[in-house]
Amino acid sequence: MEILETERLILRQFRESDLDAYAEMTADPEVMLYLGSGPMNRSEAWRNMAMILGHWQLRGFGMWAVEEKRTGTMVGRVGCWRPEGWPGLEVGWTLRRKSWGLGYATEAGRASLDFAFDHLGERHVISMIHGDNEPSIRVAKRLGMRLEGRTELFDIPVAVYGIRRGAPRRSP
């Protein structure tokens, strides 16, 4: 598994010691408001972490645990995602609420996009975002993504934002 570093973050494999922070994040109704699964209990969070690790084994890429360099705190999950039946390779982000508004989603999202284009050879990357999730839409736009259409995932309407390899990317 690749480990990525940005100015303030380390994107790394999930560890068992991440469970407390991950369970806190996925149990938060505000964090999970626009995600199809909704809030998770601790055991569901464990299974979700295992699914993320399994995606790495099956696809060779996936979501990273995002760790703040300064404190060593796990602040969320960000990375590349393409489970069976997905409409394309997605870069997605979910952060613990106390890490919102710090630019971490954009910073880790940019590193994930670079990974998708440079290491995975993708020509087009998407992010599927609930239409009411304005903060995530702003992140997608900061990454240079544009609205490409709408679809449904798990019976939930989502907007599809996308970017092609070589397209100009906005700065944070």
Side-chain angles (χ1 to χ4, degrees):
M1 171 183 282
E2 298 280 335
I3 295 174
L4 304 181
E5 286 195 39
T6 67
E7 182 182 337
R8 302 177 295 163
L9 305 170
I10 297 171
L11 284 66
R12 58 157 174 82
Q13 182 174 349
F14 276 91
R15 305 187 276 242
E16 187 173 358
S17 59
D18 293 325
L19 180 58
D20 288 341
Y22 194 74
E24 173 199 299
M25 178 181 81
T26 59
D28 186 326
E30 238 183 295
V31 169
M32 302 302 284
L33 179 63
Y34 298 115
L35 300 179
S37 60
M40 297 179 200
N41 64 37
R42 186 176 179 84
S43 126
E44 289 167 331
W46 170 265
R47 286 193 302 277
N48 189 260
M49 277 179 30
M51 179 183 66
I52 289 169
L53 291 169
H55 188 283
W56 273 98
Q57 289 299 309
L58 293 169
R59 298 275 195 210
F61 62 87
M63 293 276 179
W64 287 277
V66 179
E67 179 180 303
E68 203 175 44
K69 278 184 182 178
R70 186 178 52 79
T71 64
T73 302
M74 200 282 296
V75 297
R77 67 178 186 212
V78 177
C80 302
W81 192 244
R82 191 180 201 160
E84 181 60 29
W86 227 241
L89 187 131
E90 178 179 18
V91 167
W93 45 85
T94 306
L95 296 178
R96 294 168 72 187
R97 193 173 349 159
K98 61 184 169 185
S99 298
W100 290 0
L102 301 174
Y104 289 168
T106 303
E107 188 173 327
R110 182 165 283 111
S112 298
L113 269 180
D114 290 344
F115 181 83
F117 289 136
D118 300 339
H119 294 282
L120 300 178
E122 291 293 319
R123 302 191 56 71
H124 180 247
V125 175
I126 62 173
S127 289
M128 294 179 288
I129 304 169
H130 189 286
D132 294 333
N133 190 343
E134 288 298 325
S136 252
I137 290 169
R138 285 193 298 275
V139 170
K141 288 178 177 179
R142 279 194 295 273
L143 294 173
M145 294 181 158
R146 295 181 174 199
L147 181 63
E148 295 181 343
R150 300 188 185 283
T151 190
E152 283 193 6
L153 283 176
F154 309 112
D155 299 321
I156 298 169
V158 294
V160 180
Y161 283 79
I163 186 169
R164 298 207 173 277
R165 180 184 204 120
R169 299 200 211 151
R170 295 177 53 190
S171 59

